[in-house]
Amino acid sequence: YELTQPPSVSVSPGQTARITCSGDALANQHVYWYQQKPGQAPVLVIYKDSERPSGTPERFSGSSSGTTGTLTISGVQAEDEADFYCQSADNRGTYVFGSGTKVTVL
Amino acid sequence: QVQLVQSGTEVRKPGASVKVSCKASGYTFIAFYIHWVRQAPGQGLEWMGWIYPHSGATKYSKKFQGRVTMTRDTSISTAHMELSSLRSDDTAVYYCARGGAYSGYEIDSWGQGTLVTVSS
């Protein structure tokens, strides 16, 4: 199965960025979000649709409805510029990543 | 703290195999899944499969079934991923990563990545 993300999102500092992740599997499964900066390994920022791991800034939030999950970055900062990937898993343990969204802070 | 330390850069010719290692520390190795994820240059993340160190059970992406083998050595808290019949499009950074402690389906810690280059 597939997860579809927009290739890019541009946002001015202090504004809100929203990244969507769409796929039929999300109707029954949770969505997870990762941030990856150039030359670094990904970092988990949201799990189970809307939960923040310790260390994730409060400006990152997540939601899910129907077949679409959304990652929201409120009050975007320059340091948030990165690639973001959604991920899900089915009940048989098969995982999938979305195609990735590049967030550019103008 | 959780640490996953991977083996170093590899260069292989087409048709060869490569084995990447991932040594875990800072947690109970057998209690958490180890995933393997790769990223081709300039491309996105691609899930390859997981191994459950406690039992050795594995689950592979259909794309890699028949070419990938994931193993572990619990005595040294190390997981291995071997990919065979390498092609040029297997050139990528290969990550090992720990299955999550939060809900079980996330990946909460990553290794530093191992660059595998396939070139004649």
Side-chain angles (χ1 to χ4, degrees):
Chain A
Y1 58 102
E2 294 183 352
L3 298 177
T4 301
Q5 299 179 234
S8 62
V9 167
S10 297
V11 59
S12 299
Q15 299 303 302
T16 297
R18 292 182 180 84
I19 306 165
T20 57
C21 174
S22 299
D24 290 344
L26 298 186
N28 300 301
Q29 305 297 337
H30 294 296
V31 64
Y32 305 82
W33 291 94
Y34 302 85
Q35 177 187 44
Q36 186 181 33
K37 295 183 179 180
Q40 297 182 19
V43 173
L44 177 71
V45 294
I46 293 288
Y47 68 96
K48 210 173 175 184
D49 298 335
S50 60
E51 302 292 326
R52 272 191 306 273
S54 59
T56 298
E58 289 186 6
R59 63 181 181 276
F60 288 86
S61 63
S63 63
S64 187
S65 178
T67 59
T68 300
T70 303
L71 175 68
T72 301
I73 313 173
S74 304
V76 167
Q77 301 181 7
E79 67 196 53
D80 299 331
E81 186 161 287
D83 294 326
F84 289 83
Y85 295 90
C86 62
Q87 171 250 311
S88 191
D90 68 18
N91 292 333
R92 292 168 294 179
T94 299
Y95 283 57
V96 65
F97 286 96
S99 45
T101 299
K102 182 176 181 59
V103 170
T104 300
V105 181
L106 301 171
Chain B
Q1 74 284 17
V2 175
Q3 270 200 310
L4 300 169
V5 179
Q6 299 183 223
S7 50
T9 298
E10 303 275 10
V11 180
R12 293 287 186 274
K13 294 188 183 303
S17 298
V18 69
K19 191 171 187 177
V20 180
S21 299
C22 170
K23 182 168 178 60
S25 61
Y27 73 98
T28 303
F29 175 65
I30 61 172
F32 295 87
Y33 289 76
I34 292 288
H35 295 261
W36 290 90
V37 177
R38 77 177 188 180
Q39 186 169 36
Q43 302 301 308
L45 302 174
E46 182 172 32
W47 179 77
M48 299 180 69
W50 54 250
I51 183 167
Y52 185 47
H54 177 73
S55 62
T58 55
K59 175 83 172 182
Y60 302 141
S61 166
K62 286 185 179 178
K63 176 174 179 176
F64 298 102
Q65 275 178 359
R67 277 209 307 145
V68 70
T69 304
M70 297 177 188
T71 57
R72 91 291 190 219
D73 185 339
T74 57
S75 68
I76 55 172
S77 300
T78 299
H80 306 279
M81 185 283 299
E82 185 170 20
L83 188 62
S84 62
S85 303
L86 290 169
R87 307 184 288 257
S88 58
D89 62 359
D90 290 317
T91 294
V93 174
Y94 289 75
Y95 293 101
C96 67
R98 192 185 80 160
Y102 294 103
S103 75
Y105 286 99
E106 71 279 359
I107 295 173
D108 67 2
S109 300
W110 297 70
Q112 83 276 20
T114 296
L115 175 62
V116 175
T117 301
V118 182
S119 174
S120 55

